Structures are given as structure tokens and as C-alpha cells.
Amino acid sequence: MTGETTVRTAVRIHGRSAQREAVRALLDGLRARSGHLVVTGEPGLGRTALLQWAADSFRAGPVLRLGPGEDRGAPTTAGELLTTLRKAAGEAPLLVCVDDAHLWDAPARSALSHAAERLHTAGRVALLLSVAGHRAVDPEFARLPVVRLDPLAPSHADALLDEVTDGSTDPAVREHLLAEAEGNPALLLALVRRLTPAELRGLRPLPRPTADAGTLAAVAGSALTCPSADARDLLLTVAAAVRAADGPDVDTRLVLDALRHLDPASAPTANPLPDVLAGAGDRLRFHSPLLCRAVHATAAPDRRRAAHRALADVLEADGQPLPALLHRSWSLSGPAPVARLADRLAAVAADGTTPASHGLRGTAYARAAELTADAPVRAERYTAAAEQALLAGRPDRARPLLAAARDCAAPAVVRGRAERVRGLAELRDGPVGDAHQSLLLAASLLAEDAPAEAASAALAAADAAWAAGDLSSCLATLSLGPAPVPRDAAGMLGPAAPDAATGADGLPGAVDLAGAVDGAGPGGVPVPTDPPGPRHAADPRHAADPRQVVAPRHANAPGHATAPGHATVPGHATPGYAAVPSAVLAGGRTGGATPRTDAGARGGPGGTRVCGAVPDPVRDHRVGMRALLEGRLDRAAPSLGQVVERARTDDRPETLLRAASAALLLGNVDAARRAGARALAATRQSGSEALVPQALEYLAYAELRAGRHPQARAHAEEGLRTALRAGQRNTAAHHQAVLALAASIEDEPAAVARHVTAALATARRHGLAQAATLAEWAAARADLGRGRPQDAADRLGLLVLPGPGRGHFAVWRLAVPCFVEAAALAGRPEDTHEVLTDFAGWAAFGADPQAAAQLARCHALLAPPDRADDLYRRALARHDEAGGDFERARTALLYGKWLRRRRRPREARGRLGTALAGFDRCGAGVWAAQARAELRALGAAPQDGGAGTLTGLTPQQLRIARHVAEGATNREVALTLAVSTRTVDYHLRKVFAVLGVRSRLELARMVEHADRTRGDRRAGDRM
């Protein structure tokens, strides 16, 4: 231990929002009833900290802490315990905290469990227990509600590290510590304590391994206790096998066979299992990943090597060369390089015919690098390992591997590949401005020896510029063409300093700009004189005119994988509302490292890389994207059409993703949905976890464009989960924006606010201009739907009106129809003239079928009465041509409102009824409520009024509605239903919106009418 760093005590809990909400609900419920909750999690995740937070937060009464054993005040029967609780509570609510309840003996646990079920007899008591998560929950607690602590998300672990080190940690050290801790806060703090201040600041090398046996054992604590030698061997063999497995579990037969090799005289069995292991079918796993690491690290070195040797023997006999070689390498007795074994590991990892996941290939490359003496070859193998980690959806593992590669002297092509991986990792989970610079540098370093990979890096750099809302850089980067560069031009892997090989802005000057013309913008690229604008958020068909940019995020590398491990890795896709796949990692390479046989190809060190000509798909996509950005649809359509057509006979994930993006750009939503669905299936089949969030994103955007909001929401919800699992916070921000847009029409203000807040948190931190604009637009559209045009106009004005705060160049025009509607309803029509003129040019371009109808609707809102009627009819006719329930219903609603105010009730009823039907059809609940309110104002019962309306409420909403209709206050309802008043407020707002009522009296009348109608129906049924 070198522990010279004093770690500041963390002053708050990071993350844990769901768990804290569960504890708050338990404490809030004490107003009306008793309750109990079990908190579980592996060692170091913060069970004790959460109980302490609950005790510190509780102000309504006393807090009682109970521990095991008579000497610590734990009664031995349920009756004694309840008596103790009654005395402690008195007349006030009582919080009882029992930490490590699994340490109580069986009779005491039984008493605690029985007392939990009879807490109501002791008064208002909240019982909060914590139990270990490294073993199965004791049967006494199995019936109690459980909340589980999971590892911290990367952002929360990062915040914890900043808090305890004052943000002084070197970036490379930070990445290494976060990867080693794997989200375990106690382990992260222990690692920080182990390092000296110089090591934390990157001034001295880190100890290896950083998470050593002592550190892991200290965090695991008593959980490492093992009663017998046989059990220790079983645990060690499982832990050793997991290191070369594709997941957290391993084959039981493999473990038992290895145990027989380890001790031929033994008769190993997996029954009964130690309580730290779980068995499911023929698989074994540890309940706790931390404990798995600790068992392996703390084992006697000779026994640990013997376990790996036994596993290698079994796997070799079983015909599994890659995991066998890994175990053989771990059975070595010293850290010295072993060139022959390292070469074999790298060769098998590069062999696409060897079945293995990206994660396992990455582990093999990393181990090969550790055994390699030659610095350039070692750097290349670390880089290959990082690529595979990125493909496996583990950027947290990729970054430390890149740091290891950076420490090795290497030629430009190797440094270029490392820089590209770094840029792609940042593109999906970091500041996109940094990603843009890294990817440009990668393109220059790769240009001479790997032009195909250079083209891939350049296209990814354009993607980063797109995400950041930097149109000029996006156009300039799409114009890049690889050109030879001096090998020393770019120096280290960091940003190049301005010199003969770089431009004045410090960017690499190693690549030429193709197609420069007079009057070009920055970088020699022609830029439209009028700021470009967006296509409809759900419709990348919105190609560009000279004022309209439609480029979405693009799929950029060819990739031609045909075997496991052959998928390419995208960066983050960032379309306007049409997510388009982005930076693919392996520019035509397979398995992350399989040599290619293109004419003139050159293999890199270790036979892992070669280069070739730029494949046609990349060129077609780049040419099409560039043409669209410059408003040349006639040139864009053929190139992008080829990309779409190519996917008809190609089942590779990257080809299908690229086709989905091109189809969205061309406005072929059905083709985009088909390609996106096929891409999703292909990515799942290939095990490319990094691609799944992108495939779901394209599907979500395509469904939005088609007006299928529920389907878009389903894909975005799954995409959000997969993006967070894969460490892709930027991708997750786009999914949050999609969810916000879907919720903005569904009468879910709380959901809109939640998704908008989450999207903006990442978008602002990482410079995601597009995601931020989409999220702000969703918030404004929610305001407009809820009848708050002034608020909506204020929000939208910041996005669409000229000025430095205007939204992303490919999105702000999408919000113009909403802004015009909000401004007109708010009495501010004069604010709309400039943007409406611009939108008229976009509609005239003809790329967006909805734009003409939206334009006519906007003119109708602003027109004098003698012209508005005709404009509304023209807008509806255009909607009939274009399709789309939601937009047509919005126009019908506005027309119906206008007719009602012109005292034309018969016509108004028809238009409003049509609007209501359209909103109901697409699930636009908040807009449907507006239509119902307008119909009631006409004296017409909404189509689903009365009893039918109440059936649209959830059971909880219906209970609250009935109590309120009977005259109860929100507080009285909360006490009756044992929920918080905040919950009642939330549900009551939703009830008002769903039913379209504005007062409690109106609600009471509607409930009464519904009950009377239902009674009449029952009477009729009996007759």
C-alpha cells in the first residue's frame, strides 16, 4: 500500500435516485400507516450510507437503530420487538434502521420478519433493513419488498471521484480508476486512498494491479470467509473461469472438469453450493462481481495459476482455443514478456472463424499486449483491445487500454487508429468537440497507410461536427480526401500544435479539401449564405434547399464482417429527427484485427491491420450527405439511393444502419423502418452491443416521422436502456429527446419534464446542440398542448428567432409551425414574419410532405377572417395528400376553434370531432383534451364522454377522481389512499387533462354522469 492520499468524506449520496425515492415513499407513508423495506447490494455499494441518509432525512419522529445480539438491543421474539417499538414510538412516527440484518441469528431474523408483518400493532413504524447482496436473501426476508443497489452510473462515479479529490485527478488516471472500480463507490474510494498525490495527478506510474488483493479484500470484508478447502477451490475455479467467459456465468461442467484436473483424487460437486454462488441450470455465477474479483485476487498465487492451468487443459481438449490460450497465459509464473504466446493470442483473436465475443477478443488482445516486448506491436494490440471493448459496448474499458497504448512508441498509423478509437468513444460518451478534433487527427495520421480507415475517421469527425451544430466544420470534414502526410506530422496522440503540418487553428493539415470553390466557407467548403435549417424532426426526407440543411448523422465505415467479431463500431449518430448511423470503427477490417487481402494492403505489427481503397458505400454516403448539406438534392438522391438499394442483399449491421439513415434522408420512411428493424436483428445476432442503441434510435425516429408515437416511444425506451448499459450517454440523450417529444403529445407533463431534464443534462455537458434543441422543442410543444401559448412562444422564440441562441441548424425550422401557432395564440403575430418567410422557402423545396400543409395552417392562423377559411381548407387538403394523423388533427382543431369563435357551430362540431378522433388514434391525449373542451363549449358531448371517459383513467386515477368528486381535499385523499399529497396532485392533474375538466365541480358532475350512465346500462341489461 502506498496510501498517502487523504480522501475527503463524501458529503452526499451520488445517484441512487430510484432507491431514495423508494425510501421516501416508505417515510411519507408513515402519515397513514406502517411499512417495511429491505435494501440489498454487494459489499461497497452503500447500504449503510443509504440507511444513514434515511435516518438523517427523517424529521417526523425518533429513529431507532437495532443490531444483532442481546448485547446490542435486538429482542429475540416478535412480541418483544414490537413492545420495544411501541415504547420507542410513543405517539409519533418511528423509523427503525437495521443494518446488516443478515448477520442476526436465525431466531432473531425470524422475530424481525414476523414483527415486520405486524408493525401496524406498534403504531406508525417504518422498518428499514439492509441485507448483503453477495448471497441469496434469507428466507425470513424473502417476502418483504426489496430495493436493490446497483453499481453507480459512470456520471455518478465521476462526480464522487471529483468530490473526494477536488477534481485534481489526471484524466488518464481518472479513466483507469473508474474502470477498475466498476461503479462500486467503496472500491473507488479505496483505490484513491491507495495512490499518492503524484500518482493521482499522473506524475508517477500507477501501481499494477491498481485494485490489488489487499484493496479488494478490504472492501469485500467478511464476505470472503470460506469454511473449507474444497469450497475455496470451487470458488477460485469459478472466479478464474469467469475471466475468460463471455458473461458473469460459466459452464458447471467446465468448472467440475477443471477441479478434477486440479486434484485428480477428488470427487468435486456443485451441490450444495457455497452461498456466494448461484446456480441456474448448467451455469454458475457469483452473486457479487466484486466478490468474484476478490476471490481470484486473494487466492494463493500457486493455487491460482494451477486453476488457470487446469481450465486451459479442459478448454484445449474441448476445442476452444481462445479462452484456453488466455488461461494458459494466466498460468505463467512471472510478468516477463512471452513473445510466442502473445503472437498466438493475437492471431487467434484476429481470426474471424474463431467463435468469440467482442469482449473476449478484447481481453485476448489486452493480454497479448501485456506479454509483448516490442513497443509498436504492444501499442497496436492495446488499440485492438480498445476497439473490441468499444464494440462490446464498454467504452469504460476502452479508455484505459488507449492510455496504455499511448505510453508505447508507435508509428503514425498505429497512433491514428488509437486516436480514432478515442474519438469514437468521446463521440458516444463525451464532449463532441473533443471527438471532432480527435477524429480529424486520426484521419491525418491514417491517410498514408490506411486510406479506408482515414475516410471512416473523417466521416465520424463530420458526425461530431453535426452533433455539435457546427455546420461549417461538418461541410469541411465531408470534403476531406486522404492525402499522404509526413509520418512525424502529427506527433503525439494529443491535439497537434500549429506547425508546417497543421493549419492555423491547430488542426492537422494532412488532408486536402476536395471540391473547394470560390466563395467557400471555412475550410474551402461552399456554405449556404442563408443559415441552413432542419427537416421535420421525424423526417429526414427534409433535404436541403440553399437555405435548408438536412444532413443527419451518417454511417461511415464500410466494414464487411461476416463472422463473429466482424461488426464495425459506430460512433454516435446525430440526425435532425432522423438519426443516421455514424462513425463505424473498423474501416473495412474484420474481427477488429483480421488482415485484409486488398491489392497493396499492408499488415501492421502482429498481422492485425491492413488498409485498402475506400469502399463505395462510404463514398456514396459522403457524396450524398455533402450534396444534401449544399442543397443539391438532384446529386444527393442517386448516391443515397445506392446506399439504400445495397441493403436489399446485404445483412451486415453497418450496411443496414447506413441504409436506414439514407432512406430517412430521402424521405422513404417505410424503407427506413425496414432497414432499421433488420439492422436491429442483425446487431443482436452478431453480439455488437455498441450498435443496438443506434438501431433503436433510427427506428424511433422513423416511427416518429410516420406518426406512430407509441411505437417510437417503445423503441426509444429500449434504446435508452441499452445506451446506458453500453456507456453511451450521448446516444441516451437523443433517446431522452425522442421520449420527451412523444410524451409532449401524450398528456404526460411529468414525463416530458423528466426526459427534457435528462437530455439537457448530457447535451449541455457534452455540447450536443441537436439533442438540446429537440428537448427544448418538446418542452415547448408540451406547453402548447396544455393551453399555455405564452410559455410556448417564449421557449420557441429562443430556438427559432435569429440570434446567437438559435437552435441546431438542422432542427430549428422544424419548430417553426409550433412557434407560429404559439405566437398567434399569445397575440404576438409580429414575431413570426421573418421565420415564416424562411419556412415558406423550405416548404417550396418539396422535400417534406407535411411542410406545405403546415405552412398553409400558419398562414391561416395569421390571416384576416376573409382569407383564413380558405387557408384552413387548403391545409387540410394538403394533409390528406401527405398523411399523418397528428398534424392533420392539429389543423382540424385550430380550424374548429376558429369556426366556433365565428359562430359557426355546426361546422365547428364536425372539425372538432375529426380532430378528437385523430388525436385519439395517435394517442395525443393532451391535444384530445383540448378538442373535448371545445366540443363541450359548443354544448356537444365528446365522443367518448360520460362513462367512456372514465374508462380512460388508470385505477389509481379513478379512485382519486371519485374521492375528489365526493368533496375530499387532496390531503384527505392522500391519507385515505396512503400516498403522498404530491402523488395525489400529480394524478389529479392527469385526471383533469384526460377528462378535459377545469374544476372540481365539473369533475364531480362528470363522475356523477358516468355513474348514472353505468347504472342505466345495468338496469337495461337486467330487463
Tab-separated table of all heavy atoms in Angstrom, residues 456-492:
chain	number	residue	atom	x	y	z
A	456	SER	N	-13.103	6.646	-42.914
A	456	SER	CA	-14.023	6.355	-41.815
A	456	SER	C	-13.887	7.383	-40.703
A	456	SER	O	-14.879	7.886	-40.173
A	456	SER	CB	-13.742	4.954	-41.272
A	456	SER	OG	-14.435	4.714	-40.087
A	457	ALA	N	-12.651	7.706	-40.339
A	457	ALA	CA	-12.424	8.681	-39.272
A	457	ALA	C	-12.934	10.061	-39.671
A	457	ALA	O	-13.512	10.791	-38.861
A	457	ALA	CB	-10.944	8.740	-38.915
A	458	ALA	N	-12.730	10.447	-40.944
A	458	ALA	CA	-13.192	11.751	-41.399
A	458	ALA	C	-14.709	11.845	-41.358
A	458	ALA	O	-15.282	12.874	-40.966
A	458	ALA	CB	-12.688	12.018	-42.814
A	459	LEU	N	-15.373	10.763	-41.770
A	459	LEU	CA	-16.836	10.782	-41.738
A	459	LEU	C	-17.346	10.859	-40.301
A	459	LEU	O	-18.341	11.511	-40.005
A	459	LEU	CB	-17.372	9.539	-42.444
A	459	LEU	CG	-18.780	9.623	-43.033
A	459	LEU	CD1	-18.969	10.850	-43.906
A	459	LEU	CD2	-19.087	8.356	-43.818
A	460	ALA	N	-16.651	10.176	-39.383
A	460	ALA	CA	-17.017	10.267	-37.973
A	460	ALA	C	-16.785	11.679	-37.438
A	460	ALA	O	-17.543	12.176	-36.597
A	460	ALA	CB	-16.212	9.261	-37.153
A	461	ALA	N	-15.737	12.342	-37.919
A	461	ALA	CA	-15.484	13.724	-37.496
A	461	ALA	C	-16.612	14.638	-37.960
A	461	ALA	O	-17.022	15.560	-37.235
A	461	ALA	CB	-14.143	14.201	-38.046
A	462	ALA	N	-17.122	14.397	-39.182
A	462	ALA	CA	-18.274	15.174	-39.649
A	462	ALA	C	-19.485	14.923	-38.768
A	462	ALA	O	-20.265	15.838	-38.473
A	462	ALA	CB	-18.588	14.806	-41.104
A	463	ASP	N	-19.634	13.698	-38.327
A	463	ASP	CA	-20.735	13.362	-37.414
A	463	ASP	C	-20.627	14.157	-36.119
A	463	ASP	O	-21.618	14.667	-35.591
A	463	ASP	CB	-20.671	11.871	-37.128
A	463	ASP	CG	-21.889	11.347	-36.406
A	463	ASP	OD1	-22.937	11.982	-36.481
A	463	ASP	OD2	-21.774	10.289	-35.773
A	464	ALA	N	-19.407	14.266	-35.600
A	464	ALA	CA	-19.200	15.027	-34.368
A	464	ALA	C	-19.542	16.502	-34.576
A	464	ALA	O	-20.151	17.145	-33.709
A	464	ALA	CB	-17.761	14.876	-33.889
A	465	ALA	N	-19.141	17.044	-35.723
A	465	ALA	CA	-19.470	18.441	-36.017
A	465	ALA	C	-20.972	18.627	-36.133
A	465	ALA	O	-21.533	19.634	-35.696
A	465	ALA	CB	-18.776	18.881	-37.303
A	466	TRP	N	-21.632	17.641	-36.732
A	466	TRP	CA	-23.096	17.705	-36.836
A	466	TRP	C	-23.731	17.744	-35.453
A	466	TRP	O	-24.614	18.549	-35.175
A	466	TRP	CB	-23.602	16.499	-37.627
A	466	TRP	CG	-25.085	16.412	-37.653
A	466	TRP	CD1	-25.910	15.886	-36.709
A	466	TRP	CD2	-25.946	16.924	-38.670
A	466	TRP	NE1	-27.220	16.011	-37.071
A	466	TRP	CE2	-27.264	16.643	-38.269
A	466	TRP	CE3	-25.711	17.573	-39.881
A	466	TRP	CZ2	-28.358	17.011	-39.053
A	466	TRP	CZ3	-26.806	17.915	-40.655
A	466	TRP	CH2	-28.115	17.641	-40.237
A	467	ALA	N	-23.303	16.832	-34.592
A	467	ALA	CA	-23.883	16.761	-33.250
A	467	ALA	C	-23.688	18.069	-32.502
A	467	ALA	O	-24.539	18.481	-31.715
A	467	ALA	CB	-23.246	15.612	-32.465
A	468	ALA	N	-22.563	18.730	-32.748
A	468	ALA	CA	-22.273	19.989	-32.070
A	468	ALA	C	-22.977	21.177	-32.699
A	468	ALA	O	-22.919	22.287	-32.167
A	468	ALA	CB	-20.767	20.237	-32.074
A	469	GLY	N	-23.627	20.966	-33.852
A	469	GLY	CA	-24.299	22.070	-34.532
A	469	GLY	C	-23.359	22.972	-35.289
A	469	GLY	O	-23.689	24.124	-35.574
A	470	ASP	N	-22.181	22.469	-35.665
A	470	ASP	CA	-21.173	23.250	-36.379
A	470	ASP	C	-21.256	22.911	-37.862
A	470	ASP	O	-20.586	22.007	-38.357
A	470	ASP	CB	-19.788	22.929	-35.817
A	470	ASP	CG	-18.703	23.843	-36.377
A	470	ASP	OD1	-18.955	24.508	-37.393
A	470	ASP	OD2	-17.604	23.868	-35.790
A	471	LEU	N	-22.081	23.657	-38.587
A	471	LEU	CA	-22.324	23.365	-39.995
A	471	LEU	C	-21.061	23.503	-40.837
A	471	LEU	O	-20.765	22.656	-41.685
A	471	LEU	CB	-23.417	24.290	-40.534
A	471	LEU	CG	-23.650	24.229	-42.043
A	471	LEU	CD1	-24.101	22.843	-42.467
A	471	LEU	CD2	-24.665	25.283	-42.461
A	472	SER	N	-20.318	24.559	-40.642
A	472	SER	CA	-19.133	24.788	-41.460
A	472	SER	C	-18.135	23.643	-41.308
A	472	SER	O	-17.589	23.144	-42.298
A	472	SER	CB	-18.465	26.110	-41.069
A	472	SER	OG	-19.322	27.190	-41.328
A	473	SER	N	-17.910	23.211	-40.070
A	473	SER	CA	-16.984	22.105	-39.852
A	473	SER	C	-17.520	20.804	-40.427
A	473	SER	O	-16.760	19.973	-40.934
A	473	SER	CB	-16.705	21.927	-38.356
A	473	SER	OG	-16.007	23.039	-37.846
A	474	CYS	N	-18.818	20.636	-40.350
A	474	CYS	CA	-19.422	19.425	-40.909
A	474	CYS	C	-19.194	19.371	-42.419
A	474	CYS	O	-18.761	18.350	-42.965
A	474	CYS	CB	-20.909	19.404	-40.588
A	474	CYS	SG	-21.748	17.858	-41.018
A	475	LEU	N	-19.465	20.468	-43.112
A	475	LEU	CA	-19.250	20.518	-44.552
A	475	LEU	C	-17.773	20.350	-44.893
A	475	LEU	O	-17.402	19.627	-45.827
A	475	LEU	CB	-19.758	21.848	-45.101
A	475	LEU	CG	-21.272	21.938	-45.348
A	475	LEU	CD1	-21.696	23.382	-45.489
A	475	LEU	CD2	-21.655	21.137	-46.575
A	476	ALA	N	-16.922	21.027	-44.159
A	476	ALA	CA	-15.495	20.939	-44.433
A	476	ALA	C	-15.000	19.513	-44.268
A	476	ALA	O	-14.222	19.008	-45.076
A	476	ALA	CB	-14.731	21.881	-43.509
A	477	THR	N	-15.452	18.847	-43.222
A	477	THR	CA	-14.977	17.493	-42.964
A	477	THR	C	-15.484	16.521	-44.012
A	477	THR	O	-14.774	15.592	-44.403
A	477	THR	CB	-15.418	17.043	-41.563
A	477	THR	OG1	-15.023	18.024	-40.608
A	477	THR	CG2	-14.774	15.725	-41.190
A	478	LEU	N	-16.713	16.705	-44.489
A	478	LEU	CA	-17.227	15.838	-45.548
A	478	LEU	C	-16.452	16.009	-46.844
A	478	LEU	O	-16.525	15.163	-47.740
A	478	LEU	CB	-18.712	16.118	-45.796
A	478	LEU	CG	-19.677	15.598	-44.730
A	478	LEU	CD1	-21.068	16.130	-44.963
A	478	LEU	CD2	-19.677	14.079	-44.708
A	479	SER	N	-15.701	17.102	-46.973
A	479	SER	CA	-14.922	17.357	-48.178
A	479	SER	C	-13.515	16.804	-48.088
A	479	SER	O	-12.748	16.904	-49.042
A	479	SER	CB	-14.836	18.872	-48.430
A	479	SER	OG	-16.125	19.426	-48.542
A	480	LEU	N	-13.158	16.256	-46.918
A	480	LEU	CA	-11.791	15.793	-46.743
A	480	LEU	C	-11.512	14.610	-47.649
A	480	LEU	O	-12.303	13.695	-47.772
A	480	LEU	CB	-11.554	15.368	-45.288
A	480	LEU	CG	-11.620	16.487	-44.241
A	480	LEU	CD1	-11.433	15.895	-42.866
A	480	LEU	CD2	-10.575	17.533	-44.518
A	481	GLY	N	-10.322	14.645	-48.259
A	481	GLY	CA	-9.878	13.498	-49.040
A	481	GLY	C	-8.500	13.110	-48.576
A	481	GLY	O	-7.619	13.940	-48.413
A	482	PRO	N	-8.235	11.824	-48.315
A	482	PRO	CA	-6.961	11.433	-47.758
A	482	PRO	C	-5.796	11.809	-48.663
A	482	PRO	O	-5.879	11.661	-49.867
A	482	PRO	CB	-7.067	9.931	-47.609
A	482	PRO	CG	-8.341	9.523	-48.220
A	482	PRO	CD	-9.123	10.728	-48.573
A	483	ALA	N	-4.751	12.305	-48.050
A	483	ALA	CA	-3.531	12.645	-48.775
A	483	ALA	C	-2.351	12.261	-47.914
A	483	ALA	O	-2.418	12.305	-46.695
A	483	ALA	CB	-3.492	14.144	-49.075
A	484	PRO	N	-1.238	11.874	-48.519
A	484	PRO	CA	-0.091	11.451	-47.718
A	484	PRO	C	0.397	12.557	-46.796
A	484	PRO	O	0.341	13.731	-47.126
A	484	PRO	CB	0.967	11.121	-48.781
A	484	PRO	CG	0.180	10.845	-50.026
A	484	PRO	CD	-1.010	11.741	-49.951
A	485	VAL	N	0.863	12.159	-45.643
A	485	VAL	CA	1.393	13.111	-44.671
A	485	VAL	C	2.731	12.608	-44.168
A	485	VAL	O	2.935	11.412	-44.055
A	485	VAL	CB	0.516	13.170	-43.405
A	485	VAL	CG1	0.426	14.578	-42.913
A	485	VAL	CG2	-0.781	12.516	-43.616
A	486	PRO	N	3.643	13.495	-43.839
A	486	PRO	CA	4.876	13.040	-43.197
A	486	PRO	C	4.539	12.288	-41.926
A	486	PRO	O	3.636	12.668	-41.190
A	486	PRO	CB	5.621	14.353	-42.894
A	486	PRO	CG	5.030	15.341	-43.851
A	486	PRO	CD	3.622	14.931	-44.051
A	487	ARG	N	5.272	11.215	-41.648
A	487	ARG	CA	4.920	10.367	-40.513
A	487	ARG	C	5.036	11.098	-39.188
A	487	ARG	O	4.405	10.735	-38.215
A	487	ARG	CB	5.819	9.125	-40.493
A	487	ARG	CG	5.426	8.129	-41.545
A	487	ARG	CD	6.226	6.839	-41.373
A	487	ARG	NE	5.770	5.843	-42.311
A	487	ARG	CZ	4.764	5.020	-42.071
A	487	ARG	NH1	4.121	5.087	-40.936
A	487	ARG	NH2	4.390	4.139	-42.968
A	488	ASP	N	5.858	12.133	-39.130
A	488	ASP	CA	6.017	12.842	-37.854
A	488	ASP	C	5.141	14.076	-37.769
A	488	ASP	O	5.275	14.883	-36.871
A	488	ASP	CB	7.478	13.231	-37.638
A	488	ASP	CG	7.993	14.134	-38.765
A	488	ASP	OD1	7.263	14.300	-39.762
A	488	ASP	OD2	9.120	14.656	-38.630
A	489	ALA	N	4.226	14.213	-38.727
A	489	ALA	CA	3.456	15.454	-38.794
A	489	ALA	C	2.597	15.661	-37.579
A	489	ALA	O	2.427	16.776	-37.108
A	489	ALA	CB	2.602	15.471	-40.054
A	490	ALA	N	1.999	14.580	-37.076
A	490	ALA	CA	1.024	14.761	-36.010
A	490	ALA	C	1.577	14.499	-34.631
A	490	ALA	O	0.880	14.687	-33.652
A	490	ALA	CB	-0.173	13.863	-36.256
A	491	GLY	N	2.806	14.051	-34.548
A	491	GLY	CA	3.434	13.904	-33.239
A	491	GLY	C	2.699	12.938	-32.340
A	491	GLY	O	2.406	11.832	-32.722
A	492	MET	N	2.404	13.383	-31.137
A	492	MET	CA	1.764	12.532	-30.149
A	492	MET	C	0.293	12.359	-30.485
A	492	MET	O	-0.230	12.927	-31.422
A	492	MET	CB	1.918	13.153	-28.757
A	492	MET	CG	3.360	13.354	-28.333
A	492	MET	SD	4.282	11.804	-28.243
A	492	MET	CE	3.504	11.071	-26.816
